[in-house]
């Protein structure tokens, strides 16, 4: 007896599993392509407008101050526990091998190379990225973006480019704040709670932590800020479906931004280790 799918399957628009996978893959590829196009065009507008003196710097300053206001306090609150945890873990390890004087080196290298930029990525992705996506998605739902296009104003030039510049500037500042607070917390725990001499702590930190580590940290943070701004802007400009669409765009922007930053961090770390080997002496 010949079997067939239920009669109402086609009405509901159900697809076989393989077809659904192909459709999702194609949709994801197109979305990735639109995100790349948005990034290239917005970056080109940013460079050209700055060179011509037509860049909306006021908008960039307002957005940058907003990002700082929503991220600075969380950065401190995140950095202090991280510094304490690093000091406890590193102090236990160095105490077992009789190398308490190396606590500053191990803690400083870990914070500068990985923890600070990743913590900054989480903060800007959760606070800054959600703010960008919510703002642009609300404008899209209210048809303000369409109104700008009708007036001959490119939303990517007027809205996206200033947010990119603001995020690229704010992210390294947050990473520096995280480094400072983490190192101070780690030093306080190591010197007051673990008996590490303050001089040996700073001496080992200065011997192992280099300017290259700081430059790589700032570069990573700037790249993370750029990635977060592009992804959040893309999700906001393509929001649809009313208030639910705004919420969906914010959720997608936060999740995708953090995942993208993790992947980019892995790539940058591998490239840096290829050209700048880790120093042990």
């Amino acid at each position: 007896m010949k079997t067939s799918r239920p009669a109402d399957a086609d009405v509901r628009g159900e697809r076989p599993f393989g077809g659904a996978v192909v459709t999702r893959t194609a949709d994801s590829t197109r979305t990735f392509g639109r995100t790349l196009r948005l990034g290239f065009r917005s970056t080109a507008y940013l460079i050209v407008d700055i060179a011509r003196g037509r860049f909306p710097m006021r908008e960039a300053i307002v957005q940058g101050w907003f990002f700082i206001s929503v991220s600075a306090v969380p950065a401190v609150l995140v950095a202090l526990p991280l510094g304490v945890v690093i000091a406890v873990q590193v102090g236990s390890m160095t105490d077992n091998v009789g190398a308490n004087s190396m606590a500053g080196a191990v803690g400083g290298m870990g914070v500068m190379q990985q923890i600070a930029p990743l913590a900054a990525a989480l903060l800007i992705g959760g606070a800054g990225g959600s703010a960008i996506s919510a703002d642009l998605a609300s404008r899209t739902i209210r048809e303000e973006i369409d109104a700008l296009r009708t007036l001959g104003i490119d939303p990517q030039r007027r809205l996206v480019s200033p947010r990119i510049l603001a995020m690229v500037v704010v992210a390294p500042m947050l990473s520096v704040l995280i480094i400072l607070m983490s190192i101070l917390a780690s030093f306080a725990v190591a010197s007051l709670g673990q008996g590490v001499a303050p001089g040996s702590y700073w001496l080992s930190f200065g011997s192992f932590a280099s300017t290259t580590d700081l430059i790589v940290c700032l570069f990573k943070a700037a790249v993370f800020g750029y990635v977060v701004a592009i992804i959040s802007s893309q999700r906001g400009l393509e929001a649809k479906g009313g208030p639910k669409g705004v919420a969906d765009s914010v959720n997608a922007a936060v999740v995708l931004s953090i995942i993208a930053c993790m992947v980019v961090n892995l790539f940058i770390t591998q490239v840096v280790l290829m050209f700048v080997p880790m120093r042990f002496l």
Side-chain angles (χ1 to χ4, degrees), residues 218-239:
L218 298 179
F219 175 75
K220 280 185 177 182
V223 173
F224 295 160
Y226 179 83
V227 171
V228 169
I230 293 298
I231 294 177
S232 301
S233 299
Q234 188 271 334
R235 302 308 300 179
L237 292 176
E238 295 189 2

Side-chain angles (χ1 to χ4, degrees), residues 5-49:
R5 297 172 56 195
D8 58 339
D10 293 332
V11 175
R12 293 195 305 264
E14 294 180 357
R15 299 186 181 91
F17 178 74
V21 171
V22 173
T23 302
R24 287 296 182 88
T25 303
D27 292 342
S28 300
T29 302
R30 286 192 289 268
T31 301
F32 181 71
R34 292 196 300 270
T35 304
L36 289 180
R37 183 174 60 184
L38 174 66
F40 288 141
R41 290 190 61 186
S42 301
T43 305
Y45 287 146
L46 173 65
I47 296 173
V48 171
D49 288 347

Side-chain angles (χ1 to χ4, degrees), residues 60-61 63-69 71-73 75-76 79 116-117 119-121 123-124 165-181 214-215 217-225:
I61 294 174
Q63 293 297 321
W65 177 251
F66 174 76
F67 296 150
I68 292 175
S69 65
S71 302
V73 174
V76 174
L123 289 170
I124 60 178
L165 180 62
M167 192 69 81
V168 169
V169 172
V170 169
M173 296 170 61
L174 287 178
S175 66
V176 171
L177 179 61
I178 293 171
I179 291 173
L180 177 62
M181 301 308 298
L214 180 59
I215 293 175
C217 174
L218 298 179
F219 175 75
K220 280 185 177 182
V223 173
F224 295 160

Side-chain angles (χ1 to χ4, degrees), residues 177-211:
L177 179 61
I178 293 171
I179 291 173
L180 177 62
M181 301 308 298
S182 297
I183 295 301
L184 290 178
S186 177
F187 168 72
V189 173
S191 60
L192 299 178
Q194 297 175 341
V196 178
S200 63
Y201 183 95
W202 293 117
L203 180 61
S204 62
F205 175 79
S207 300
F208 281 79
S210 64
T211 306

Side-chain angles (χ1 to χ4, degrees), residues 19-185:
V21 171
V22 173
T23 302
R24 287 296 182 88
T25 303
D27 292 342
S28 300
T29 302
R30 286 192 289 268
T31 301
F32 181 71
R34 292 196 300 270
T35 304
L36 289 180
R37 183 174 60 184
L38 174 66
F40 288 141
R41 290 190 61 186
S42 301
T43 305
Y45 287 146
L46 173 65
I47 296 173
V48 171
D49 288 347
I50 290 178
R52 293 179 176 179
R54 299 172 54 187
F55 183 77
M57 189 61 67
R58 177 184 175 84
E59 178 72 12
I61 294 174
V62 170
Q63 293 297 321
W65 177 251
F66 174 76
F67 296 150
I68 292 175
S69 65
V70 299
S71 302
V73 174
V76 174
L77 297 178
V78 168
L80 291 177
L82 284 176
V84 173
V85 170
I86 292 172
V88 171
Q89 294 292 331
V90 172
S92 176
M93 180 183 64
T94 55
D95 184 65
N96 289 333
V97 298
N100 286 336
S101 61
M102 301 304 296
V106 179
M109 291 175 63
V111 170
M112 293 182 65
Q113 293 180 1
Q114 298 296 333
I115 294 177
L118 286 177
L122 294 175
L123 289 170
I124 60 178
S130 61
I132 292 175
S133 180
D135 181 26
L136 296 182
S138 299
R139 293 169 183 256
T140 302
I141 297 300
R142 295 195 301 263
E143 299 182 354
E144 293 181 17
I145 301 299
D146 294 335
L148 288 176
R149 294 192 177 101
T150 302
L151 294 173
I153 301 174
D154 193 331
Q156 297 180 13
R157 167 171 275 162
R158 182 63 180 84
L159 299 176
V160 178
S161 294
R163 285 161 173 78
I164 292 176
L165 180 62
M167 192 69 81
V168 169
V169 172
V170 169
M173 296 170 61
L174 287 178
S175 66
V176 171
L177 179 61
I178 293 171
I179 291 173
L180 177 62
M181 301 308 298
S182 297
I183 295 301
L184 290 178

